[in-house]
Amino acid sequence: MSLQDISLPNLDETQFQVPDAQQLQAPLSSHKPRFLLLYGSLRERSFSRLVIEECARLLTRMGGEVRIFDPSGLPLPDDAEDSHPKVQELRELVIWSEGQVWCSPERHGAMTGIMKAQIDWIPLSMGAVRPTQGKTLAVMQVEGGSQSFNVVNQLRVLGRWMRMLTIPNQSSVAKAFLEFDDNNRMKPSSYYNRIVDVMEELMKFTLLTRDNSAYLVDRYSERVESAEQLMQRVNQRQI
């Protein structure tokens, strides 16, 4: 079947752009890739935090710069002003980062409230800045029982909603209490190997996209809307 009519009468030709590989050749950044790591439990021996610490070691070894956010003291969403110090700390780290890792325990078949609260405090936009758009994301979970993928599936939905580039690989550590030694270091296992895989993939995707993220997330619909808003402003000035 071939189309006889290939016209696009509804297309705004002034804002339409044919994707161009040449636009994906921005100069490479010289600074270390920057990663923010979030975990979802405040227990003294939090396995989601221990996994995040292993991730931090791996990303540092791979040449990254890493920050781990401590959610202790972060208020519930809408229960404090945006000016709260912990909220400001989180948002500044989000803007600073080029990639992120989210790891939550599974509780009642879902991510924890602590994990969701951190994500809920991150706005889709802050003035003209979209703090998460175009950043890479790796999703992980730990559970006390058999392996599940409920949390990573939920985190993927949130990552997409936050306009992040969520990498294909992920990690789910079953019976996490068996996977760490007395020094809170992860034991050799297929679970550990998968975490190395995920961090390696996150680093690769971050290096691939961080300098081209603005072009990758540039959207026709938003260019049209911006053009219409500009016309409205101009017309208002002329009246």
Side-chain angles (χ1 to χ4, degrees):
M1 174 181 168
S2 61
L3 292 173
Q4 299 301 316
D5 182 1
I6 60 171
S7 63
L8 296 166
N10 296 324
L11 195 67
D12 185 342
E13 295 290 350
T14 63
Q15 301 302 326
F16 179 67
Q17 298 177 5
V18 176
D20 181 5
Q22 296 299 318
Q23 297 295 322
L24 295 170
Q25 299 180 13
L28 296 179
S29 296
S30 58
H31 65 269
K32 294 181 178 180
R34 301 190 293 253
F35 297 97
L36 169 62
L37 281 56
L38 306 180
Y39 59 92
S41 170
L42 296 178
R43 291 178 177 176
E44 182 176 353
R45 196 172 191 233
S46 163
F47 294 109
S48 62
R49 190 192 76 242
L50 296 182
V51 166
I52 282 295
E53 290 174 354
E54 290 292 333
C55 292
R57 296 182 184 100
L58 288 164
L59 289 171
T60 300
R61 177 66 179 273
M62 294 176 190
E65 185 177 357
V66 178
R67 300 285 184 272
I68 300 174
F69 178 72
D70 178 2
S72 180
L74 182 71
L76 290 173
D78 303 326
D79 197 37
E81 297 297 325
D82 295 352
S83 58
H84 189 284
K86 290 298 291 189
V87 175
Q88 287 297 307
E89 178 189 355
L90 174 61
R91 292 185 174 185
E92 288 170 4
L93 287 172
V94 169
I95 293 173
W96 167 85
S97 68
E98 296 168 323
Q100 296 183 25
V101 183
W102 297 350
C103 182
S104 174
E106 180 171 331
R107 187 169 296 167
H108 300 314
M111 76 184 76
T112 61
I114 295 166
M115 190 77 230
K116 186 62 162 56
Q118 293 175 80
I119 298 170
D120 284 347
W121 270 119
I122 304 170
L124 289 175
S125 63
M126 296 170 60
V129 177
R130 286 179 170 158
T132 53
Q133 178 168 266
K135 299 179 189 294
T136 53
L137 172 65
V139 295
M140 317 178 83
Q141 72 173 86
V142 296
E143 47 273 336
S146 58
Q147 191 173 46
S148 164
F149 301 95
N150 290 330
V151 170
V152 288
N153 289 338
Q154 293 168 346
L155 292 175
R156 283 188 179 279
V157 170
L158 290 171
R160 183 175 71 244
W161 189 258
M162 303 297 283
R163 296 182 171 184
M164 303 182 78
L165 304 175
T166 308
I167 66 171
N169 213 340
Q170 61 188 26
S171 171
S172 174
V173 181
K175 296 182 180 179
F177 61 92
L178 298 177
E179 298 302 320
F180 290 85
D181 62 24
D182 293 338
N183 295 316
N184 289 330
R185 295 302 303 270
M186 200 165 186
K187 301 174 184 177
S189 69
S190 60
Y191 292 129
Y192 178 79
N193 292 346
R194 172 59 68 89
I195 288 174
V196 178
D197 287 347
V198 175
M199 292 303 98
E200 185 178 67
E201 188 171 290
L202 177 65
M203 177 63 80
K204 290 176 181 178
F205 272 78
T206 304
L207 292 172
L208 180 67
T209 62
R210 66 173 178 165
D211 296 310
N212 295 295
S213 61
Y215 182 67
L216 288 170
V217 298
D218 184 38
R219 293 174 173 83
Y220 165 78
S221 61
E222 294 180 353
R223 293 195 298 271
V224 170
E225 182 181 9
S226 298
E228 290 177 350
Q229 290 173 344
L230 176 60
M231 289 180 63
Q232 290 175 1
R233 288 196 299 272
V234 171
N235 291 336
Q236 287 174 351
R237 290 170 185 164
Q238 291 176 345
I239 294 176

